[in-house]
Amino acid sequence: MTDRPKKLLFVFGTRPETIKLFPLIAAAKAQPQRFEVQVCVSGQHRQMLDAFLQLFAIAPDVDLDVMQQGQTLSSLAARVLERLDPVLVHLAPDVVLVQGDTTTAMAAALAAFHRQIAVGHVEAGLRTWDLAAPFPEELNRQVVGRIAQYHFAPTAWARDNLLREGVAAQRIWVTGNTGIDAVAHVRQHLLPKLNVAERFAFLRPDQRLMLVTGHRRESFGAGFESLCLAIGDAIDRHPDLCVVYPVHLNPNVQAPVQRILGPAVATGRLHLLPPVDYLEFAALLNAAYLVLTDSGGVQEEAPSYGKPALCMRSVTERPEGVEAGAVRLVGTDRAAITAAVDQLLTDEQAWRKMAEVRNPYGDGQASGRILDALGACRSIPTRS
Ligand code: UD1
Ligand code: UDP
């Protein structure tokens, strides 16, 4: 037992991890008597990560710089494992904190396990029990769940999943999702600073905005083509509709989007943008009439902005939004997406019913709960 500050090492590397960890990192850094904070980025995303580090003023202590264009999952995982190991030896943290379900999170947890360092999992317990969807994230999450000693479940449903898998109740804390802490921060402190009319001068008050994101690996190929065609249909069918799609940098996303949707840009009602920063994305969510997405984080955020979200997946590890009525699963079938978009654009009551649901994913206080749990564990619990 010791009174020295607990050494926390945050390891992350993609856009969503950065967004969901920055409130926690900031809160931990604000308590130097309790926590010594170090940050290691894998660089799994290079451009998308760097933009967010800058926005959130996070200066990494270590950068593994692993990203390669068109990287394979195995080569990516191998580089994280290989390059993180000496960092763990050198920094000797008490706890390695990872977030969610990326290859960085999975490989970092495994590297910590190899060095017998405790792992804390932020956003633990989400499951589909279908290893094919989301792929490879479902397995990544289960692997981290097997390794972690601290499980920070965003909801009671996520906690129950962990209990069912045999995780001891005293290792699980229901905290809310730190992504909702990020939403609270951006809305309170950052959004007022953005001149939306200037940044997105193409947004017109007489048009309704559909904000789109799509990047899931399990949809690549036919599913992706079909969802692009559905977006084209929506533009054809609704003359007052404006679509904004910040397109993920993955070449498997860029290619079909540009090929299928490129010609529709000439309508003036489709805007294919490079990825926008978190503040700009929040402004777009705020301005949107509806959201069409396959993103995990975006389906959690949309209810905070009172925007109905159509989720282009067949299953979700985040069923709370669907059960509450804020999110609807529409898969990637062209006709199903088109019908769901049509309904929201023509049936105001259906739109209102989804828009008025309270966000089930958190209350903006998750970071404090996680740090209280970490601070209260004076010694690292051993596995049962
Ligand atoms: C990863 C995560 C996924 C998460 C997504 C968030 C895994 C297995 N997947 O998927 O869970 O939802 O991030 O966006 O960890 N690229 C760039 N610059 C960037 C980022 C990506 O050029 O800043 C390109 C590169 O060619 C890269 C490719 O996109 O090889 C794929 O990136 P990768 O991180 O492997 O997969 P994502 O699909 O982004
Ligand atoms: N986001 C962003 N800019 C964009 C698209 C998304 O800042 O151009 C944010 C969004 O607000 C959410 C997060 O990125 O917080 C979701 O990340 P992504 O969809 O890449 O990953 P997922 O959540 O599906 O793992």
Coordinates of all heavy atoms in Angstrom, one line a residue, residues 178-219:
T178 N -18.1 8.0 -21.2 CA -17.3 9.2 -21.3 C -17.6 10.0 -22.5 O -17.3 11.2 -22.6 CB -15.8 8.9 -21.1 OG1 -15.5 8.0 -22.2 CG2 -15.5 8.3 -19.8
G179 N -18.1 9.4 -23.6 CA -18.5 10.1 -24.8 C -19.5 11.2 -24.5 O -19.6 12.2 -25.2
I180 N -20.4 10.9 -23.5 CA -21.4 11.9 -23.2 C -20.8 13.0 -22.3 O -21.2 14.2 -22.4 CB -22.6 11.3 -22.4 CG1 -23.1 10.1 -23.3 CG2 -23.7 12.3 -22.2 CD1 -23.5 10.4 -24.7
D181 N -19.7 12.7 -21.6 CA -18.9 13.8 -20.9 C -18.4 14.7 -22.0 O -18.4 16.0 -21.9 CB -17.7 13.3 -20.2 CG -18.1 12.3 -19.0 OD1 -19.2 11.8 -19.0 OD2 -17.2 12.1 -18.2
A182 N -17.9 14.1 -23.1 CA -17.3 14.9 -24.2 C -18.4 15.8 -24.9 O -18.1 16.9 -25.2 CB -16.7 14.0 -25.3
V183 N -19.6 15.2 -25.0 CA -20.7 16.0 -25.6 C -20.9 17.2 -24.7 O -21.1 18.4 -25.2 CB -21.9 15.2 -25.8 CG1 -23.1 16.1 -26.1 CG2 -21.8 14.1 -26.8
A184 N -21.0 17.0 -23.4 CA -21.3 18.1 -22.5 C -20.2 19.2 -22.6 O -20.5 20.4 -22.7 CB -21.4 17.6 -21.1
H185 N -19.0 18.7 -22.7 CA -17.9 19.7 -22.8 C -18.0 20.5 -24.1 O -17.8 21.7 -24.1 CB -16.5 19.0 -22.7 CG -15.4 19.9 -22.8 ND1 -14.8 20.5 -21.7 CD2 -14.6 20.3 -23.9 CE1 -13.8 21.3 -22.2 NE2 -13.7 21.2 -23.5
V186 N -18.2 19.8 -25.2 CA -18.1 20.5 -26.5 C -19.3 21.5 -26.6 O -19.2 22.6 -27.1 CB -18.1 19.5 -27.7 CG1 -19.4 18.9 -28.0 CG2 -17.6 20.2 -28.9
R187 N -20.5 21.1 -26.0 CA -21.6 22.0 -26.1 C -21.5 23.2 -25.3 O -21.8 24.3 -25.6 CB -22.9 21.2 -25.7 CG -23.2 20.1 -26.7 CD -24.5 19.5 -26.4 NE -25.6 20.2 -27.0 CZ -26.9 19.8 -26.8 NH1 -27.2 18.7 -26.2 NH2 -27.9 20.5 -27.4
Q188 N -20.9 23.0 -24.1 CA -20.7 24.1 -23.2 C -19.6 25.0 -23.5 O -19.7 26.3 -23.5 CB -20.6 23.5 -21.8 CG -20.9 24.6 -20.7 CD -20.7 24.0 -19.3 OE1 -20.7 22.7 -19.1 NE2 -20.5 24.8 -18.3
H189 N -18.4 24.4 -23.8 CA -17.2 25.3 -23.9 C -16.8 25.5 -25.4 O -16.1 26.5 -25.6 CB -16.1 24.6 -23.2 CG -16.4 24.4 -21.7 ND1 -16.4 25.5 -20.9 CD2 -16.6 23.3 -21.0 CE1 -16.7 25.0 -19.6 NE2 -16.8 23.7 -19.7
L190 N -17.0 24.6 -26.3 CA -16.4 24.8 -27.6 C -17.4 25.3 -28.7 O -17.1 26.2 -29.4 CB -15.8 23.5 -28.1 CG -14.7 22.8 -27.2 CD1 -14.2 21.5 -27.8 CD2 -13.6 23.8 -27.0
L191 N -18.6 24.7 -28.7 CA -19.6 25.1 -29.7 C -19.9 26.6 -29.8 O -19.9 27.1 -30.9 CB -20.9 24.4 -29.5 CG -21.2 23.2 -30.4 CD1 -22.6 22.7 -30.2 CD2 -21.0 23.5 -31.9
P192 N -20.0 27.3 -28.7 CA -20.3 28.7 -28.8 C -19.2 29.5 -29.5 O -19.4 30.6 -30.0 CB -20.4 29.2 -27.3 CG -20.7 27.9 -26.5 CD -20.0 26.8 -27.3
K193 N -18.0 28.9 -29.6 CA -16.9 29.6 -30.2 C -16.9 29.4 -31.8 O -16.1 30.1 -32.5 CB -15.5 29.1 -29.7 CG -15.3 29.4 -28.3 CD -14.0 28.9 -27.8 CE -13.8 29.0 -26.3 NZ -12.8 28.1 -25.8
L194 N -17.7 28.5 -32.3 CA -17.7 28.2 -33.7 C -18.7 29.1 -34.5 O -19.9 29.1 -34.1 CB -17.9 26.7 -34.0 CG -17.9 26.3 -35.4 CD1 -16.4 26.3 -35.9 CD2 -18.4 24.9 -35.6
N195 N -18.3 29.7 -35.5 CA -19.2 30.5 -36.4 C -19.7 29.5 -37.4 O -19.1 29.3 -38.5 CB -18.5 31.7 -37.0 CG -19.5 32.5 -37.8 OD1 -20.5 32.0 -38.2 ND2 -19.1 33.8 -37.9
V196 N -20.9 28.9 -37.1 CA -21.4 27.8 -38.0 C -21.8 28.3 -39.4 O -21.5 27.7 -40.4 CB -22.6 27.1 -37.3 CG1 -23.1 25.9 -38.1 CG2 -22.2 26.6 -35.9
A197 N -22.4 29.5 -39.4 CA -22.8 30.0 -40.7 C -21.7 30.3 -41.6 O -21.8 30.2 -42.8 CB -23.6 31.3 -40.4
E198 N -20.5 30.6 -41.0 CA -19.3 30.9 -41.8 C -18.7 29.6 -42.2 O -18.3 29.4 -43.4 CB -18.4 31.8 -41.0 CG -17.3 32.4 -41.8 CD -16.4 33.3 -40.9 OE1 -16.9 34.4 -40.5 OE2 -15.3 32.9 -40.5
R199 N -18.5 28.7 -41.3 CA -17.8 27.4 -41.6 C -18.6 26.5 -42.6 O -18.0 25.9 -43.4 CB -17.6 26.6 -40.2 CG -17.1 25.2 -40.4 CD -15.7 25.2 -41.1 NE -15.2 23.8 -41.2 CZ -15.4 23.1 -42.3 NH1 -16.1 23.6 -43.3 NH2 -14.9 21.8 -42.4
F200 N -19.9 26.5 -42.4 CA -20.8 25.7 -43.3 C -21.7 26.6 -44.0 O -22.9 26.5 -43.8 CB -21.5 24.6 -42.5 CG -20.6 23.6 -41.8 CD1 -20.5 23.6 -40.4 CD2 -19.8 22.8 -42.5 CE1 -19.6 22.7 -39.8 CE2 -18.9 21.9 -41.9 CZ -18.8 21.9 -40.5
A201 N -21.2 27.5 -44.8 CA -22.0 28.5 -45.5 C -23.0 27.9 -46.4 O -24.0 28.5 -46.8 CB -21.0 29.4 -46.2
F202 N -22.8 26.6 -46.8 CA -23.7 26.0 -47.7 C -25.0 25.5 -47.1 O -26.0 25.2 -47.7 CB -23.1 24.8 -48.4 CG -22.5 23.8 -47.5 CD1 -23.3 22.9 -46.9 CD2 -21.1 23.7 -47.3 CE1 -22.8 21.9 -46.0 CE2 -20.6 22.8 -46.4 CZ -21.4 21.9 -45.8
L203 N -25.1 25.6 -45.7 CA -26.3 25.1 -45.1 C -27.4 26.2 -45.2 O -27.1 27.4 -45.0 CB -26.1 24.9 -43.5 CG -25.2 23.8 -43.2 CD1 -25.0 23.7 -41.7 CD2 -25.7 22.4 -43.7
R204 N -28.6 25.8 -45.7 CA -29.6 26.8 -46.0 C -30.8 26.5 -45.1 O -31.2 25.4 -44.9 CB -30.0 26.7 -47.4 CG -28.9 27.2 -48.4 CD -29.3 27.1 -49.8 NE -30.7 27.0 -50.1 CZ -31.2 26.7 -51.3 NH1 -30.4 26.6 -52.3 NH2 -32.5 26.6 -51.5
P205 N -31.5 27.6 -44.6 CA -32.6 27.4 -43.7 C -33.8 26.7 -44.3 O -34.6 26.1 -43.6 CB -33.0 28.8 -43.2 CG -32.2 29.8 -44.1 CD -31.1 29.0 -44.7
D206 N -33.9 26.8 -45.6 CA -35.1 26.2 -46.3 C -34.8 24.7 -46.7 O -35.6 24.1 -47.3 CB -35.4 26.9 -47.6 CG -34.3 27.0 -48.6 OD1 -33.1 26.9 -48.1 OD2 -34.5 27.2 -49.8
Q207 N -33.7 24.2 -46.2 CA -33.4 22.8 -46.5 C -33.2 22.0 -45.2 O -32.8 22.6 -44.2 CB -32.1 22.6 -47.3 CG -32.2 23.1 -48.7 CD -30.9 23.0 -49.5 OE1 -29.8 22.8 -48.9 NE2 -31.0 23.1 -50.8
R208 N -33.6 20.7 -45.2 CA -33.3 19.9 -44.0 C -32.1 19.1 -44.2 O -31.8 18.6 -45.3 CB -34.5 19.0 -43.8 CG -35.8 19.8 -43.3 CD -36.9 18.9 -43.0 NE -37.5 18.3 -44.2 CZ -38.5 17.4 -44.2 NH1 -39.1 17.1 -43.1 NH2 -39.0 16.9 -45.3
L209 N -31.3 19.0 -43.1 CA -30.0 18.4 -43.2 C -30.0 16.9 -42.7 O -30.5 16.6 -41.6 CB -29.0 19.2 -42.3 CG -27.6 18.6 -42.1 CD1 -26.8 18.4 -43.4 CD2 -26.8 19.4 -41.1
M210 N -29.5 16.0 -43.6 CA -29.2 14.7 -43.1 C -27.7 14.5 -43.0 O -27.0 14.6 -44.0 CB -29.8 13.6 -44.1 CG -29.5 12.2 -43.7 SD -30.5 11.0 -44.6 CE -29.6 10.8 -46.1
L211 N -27.2 14.3 -41.8 CA -25.8 14.1 -41.5 C -25.5 12.6 -41.6 O -26.2 11.8 -41.0 CB -25.4 14.6 -40.2 CG -24.0 14.5 -39.7 CD1 -23.1 15.2 -40.7 CD2 -23.8 15.0 -38.3
V212 N -24.5 12.3 -42.5 CA -24.2 10.9 -42.7 C -22.8 10.5 -42.3 O -21.8 11.3 -42.5 CB -24.3 10.5 -44.2 CG1 -23.9 9.1 -44.5 CG2 -25.7 10.8 -44.7
T213 N -22.6 9.4 -41.6 CA -21.2 8.8 -41.5 C -21.3 7.3 -41.8 O -22.3 6.7 -41.5 CB -20.5 9.0 -40.2 OG1 -21.0 8.1 -39.2 CG2 -20.7 10.4 -39.6
G214 N -20.3 6.7 -42.4 CA -20.3 5.3 -42.7 C -18.9 4.8 -42.9 O -18.1 5.4 -43.7
H215 N -18.5 3.8 -42.1 CA -17.1 3.3 -42.3 C -16.9 1.9 -41.8 O -15.8 1.4 -41.8 CB -16.1 4.2 -41.5 CG -16.3 4.0 -40.0 ND1 -17.2 4.7 -39.3 CD2 -15.6 3.2 -39.1 CE1 -17.1 4.3 -38.0 NE2 -16.1 3.4 -37.9
R216 N -18.0 1.1 -41.5 CA -17.8 -0.2 -40.9 C -17.2 -1.2 -41.9 O -17.7 -1.4 -43.0 CB -19.1 -0.7 -40.3 CG -19.7 0.3 -39.3 CD -19.8 -0.5 -37.9 NE -18.6 -1.1 -37.6 CZ -17.6 -0.6 -36.9 NH1 -17.7 0.7 -36.5 NH2 -16.5 -1.3 -36.6
R217 N -16.2 -1.9 -41.4 CA -15.6 -3.0 -42.2 C -16.5 -4.1 -42.6 O -16.4 -4.5 -43.8 CB -14.5 -3.6 -41.3 CG -13.1 -3.7 -41.7 CD -12.3 -4.0 -40.6 NE -11.5 -2.9 -40.2 CZ -10.3 -2.6 -40.6 NH1 -9.7 -3.4 -41.4 NH2 -9.7 -1.5 -40.2
E218 N -17.5 -4.5 -41.8 CA -18.4 -5.6 -42.2 C -19.3 -5.1 -43.3 O -20.0 -6.0 -43.9 CB -19.1 -6.1 -41.0 CG -20.1 -5.2 -40.3 CD -19.4 -4.4 -39.2 OE1 -18.2 -4.3 -39.1 OE2 -20.2 -3.7 -38.4
S219 N -19.4 -3.8 -43.6 CA -20.3 -3.4 -44.7 C -19.5 -3.2 -46.0 O -20.1 -2.9 -47.0 CB -20.9 -2.1 -44.3 OG -21.7 -2.2 -43.1

